[in-house]
Amino acid sequence: MQTAARISNGTSLACDRCALGASGDCPATSQFQGLQLRRVSAKQISAGAEIFPSNETPTTVAIIQSGWAIQYARLLGGERQILTFLIPGDVFDQDAVILPQTPNLFAFKALTEAAVCHFAIEDYRQLFQADVRSRRFAKRQLRRHQALMAKHVIDIGRRRALGRLAGFLLELRQRLTERNLMHDELMPFPLRQEDVADALGLTHAHVNRTLKHLRESGAIQTLPGILRILDPAALAALAPGEALLV
Amino acid sequence: MQTAARISNGTSLACDRCALGASGDCPATSQFQGLQLRRVSAKQISAGAEIFPSNETPTTVAIIQSGWAIQYARLLGGERQILTFLIPGDVFDQDAVILPQTPNLFAFKALTEAAVCHFAIEDYRQLFQADVRSRRFAKRQLRRHQALMAKHVIDIGRRRALGRLAGFLLELRQRLTERNLMHDELMPFPLRQEDVADALGLTHAHVNRTLKHLRESGAIQTLPGILRILDPAALAALAPGEALLV
DNA sequence: CGGTGCATTGAAACCCGTCAAGGGGGGTGG
DNA sequence: CCACCCCCCTTGACGGGTTTCAATGCACCG
């Protein structure tokens, strides 16, 4: 895990070669089973760059085509709390859909090189009034985000390090599976241990020790930029009830 | 704090004598500066009773007229994680507004005797299309809930017991002030220490110790069912950045 | 080849959970 | 009016989980 292999290298901005589109997960492609939208813009973002600063009022809704990003808050002491991880196919900045002209509370930043496409808020909002598939898509995105926030509270509120990490890995596994990014229990894992720590409310030193524990117990295997889940059942046992939440 | 004094005793269900209405915080009263709604029902709920079970699809939006309630999840091991506290004037079950016909993920329960009024989802949704004041009301309610969830993650994730408690008390102070329920830094406090613990991810024993610390340092004073904030600045110093979040 | 970023590890301090016991107030029943 | 019970607050001791601080090592890069 020393260095993150640039897995998401082939960042294709063109919609006709977009992996998301191919699986029908982006309303800008003809494969999407519903209302077709046209994207306003597509941006290539380098690792570590801000996507949206906080306190800015968004005019678009964004979908992340490739790469990983975070939504986070920074405290006065400099500490960082990561609220959500964003993976390819995630729609973020969704508040804008429901609450136009309200500033973002928290900032977004790319963790890896990433490609982000934007839709006009008005266009995206039409999904909610369109056919069943469009509505299902938009509602699912919204609902998923809310559920993840709640799960996050439960995770860090009621579980200790081992359970948090196990639950977190299972969550990623589930989400990546839905986006066709899991193969043979192998997942791209571009996160530094400090990122995981800042999300789960731990220190990076302790994340390291906990990962070591999971590794030595045979539950997972780590390679640079990749994580393999060897024993999903073991992880599930460490995070009881996880399945109900994801 | 041994016993909760029934502060919210005079639970008046009639809209014309509703304290919420008097301050213009309920769209069912003529004092509300915006679209007038008619409530579908008003229910008196006894302390400890479920308001909504989880996994049920709501047909109404609810506003809590008097009393305190929680939104919570129960894990397989029996542990409880409180997601949000609801105080008079809070609109809950708001997911129904945006996402009709989706079941509630988490249950709601009254902590004290409470009065809850319901609106038809369609009626309530019209607030978003009505005049400025109505929109502001509805958006503020929605936005507030989201912000509180995010703040909750930050609190539990990046602060230790003392800071969490300080931040939590300041949050309650702010919210109660907005509803005209703070007087002379005195707030109704019907929560058991176990409730606080289940919200902040601590044990009730440790909440007790931490409260004792705050008491002995002169930051707060506790009376049965009431909490007085003696030194807001001291609390703010314990929870840096809190002001930015509330 | 020095420098930077990140993973790894150890030792010590400390925060917090766990367990257990005691106490006080309000209610109920005698 | 008292006895009793239940719920909740309170407190102490102990152990373990986490943080903190510090040092090392490895990979990559200029």
Side-chain angles (χ1 to χ4, degrees), chain A residues 16-32:
Chain A
D16 52 359
R17 276 172 310 162
C18 173
L20 274 187
S23 46
D25 287 335
C26 177
T29 59
S30 56
Q31 289 94 338
F32 181 69

Side-chain angles (χ1 to χ4, degrees), chain B residues 62-230:
Chain B
I63 185 168
I64 183 162
Q65 189 194 45
S66 66
W68 289 43
I70 55 172
Q71 183 184 20
Y72 71 102
R74 197 165 286 283
L75 303 200
L76 264 61
E79 310 97 311
R80 180 180 64 158
Q81 175 65 46
I82 294 181
L83 297 173
T84 55
F85 288 101
L86 301 167
I87 62 172
D90 278 345
V91 173
F92 61 104
D93 202 14
Q94 295 190 75
D95 289 359
V97 184
I98 314 158
L99 304 172
Q101 295 176 7
T102 45
N104 263 323
L105 283 174
F106 305 104
F108 293 91
K109 175 180 282 196
L111 287 183
T112 69
E113 194 175 36
V116 175
C117 302
H118 295 261
F119 299 106
I121 294 180
E122 300 76 29
D123 289 358
Y124 191 90
R125 194 178 292 124
Q126 289 185 5
L127 289 178
F128 285 95
Q129 269 111 39
D131 60 302
V132 186
R133 291 173 188 277
S134 300
R135 288 208 307 271
R136 193 174 307 168
F137 172 84
K139 282 171 61 173
R140 185 181 178 76
Q141 289 282 355
L142 207 51
R143 151 64 49 123
R144 181 45 78 100
H145 181 251
Q146 292 177 358
L148 284 179
M149 282 296 283
K151 172 188 156 351
H152 204 156
V153 172
I154 296 171
D155 254 12
I156 310 184
R158 290 280 73 133
R159 292 207 241 263
R160 18 233 17 216
L162 207 50
R164 285 184 211 177
L165 203 44
F168 173 65
L169 294 179
L170 287 176
E171 173 195 319
L172 280 185
R173 174 172 177 258
Q174 173 63 27
R175 291 171 62 192
L176 290 167
T177 299
E178 290 172 15
R179 301 285 156 73
N180 265 321
L181 293 171
M182 287 285 296
H183 304 291
D184 286 332
E185 298 291 355
L186 230 58
M187 66 165 93
F189 199 82
L191 308 179
R192 294 173 304 147
Q193 295 181 353
E194 193 180 342
D195 296 326
V196 180
D198 284 350
L200 299 185
L202 301 167
T203 58
H204 83 114
H206 200 63
V207 167
N208 184 298
R209 279 189 280 265
T210 312
L211 277 175
K212 181 185 179 186
H213 184 102
L214 287 178
R215 245 185 280 123
E216 293 181 343
S217 72
I220 64 170
Q221 182 185 2
T222 57
L223 306 165
I226 297 178
L227 190 144
R228 184 202 293 269
I229 296 193
L230 299 174

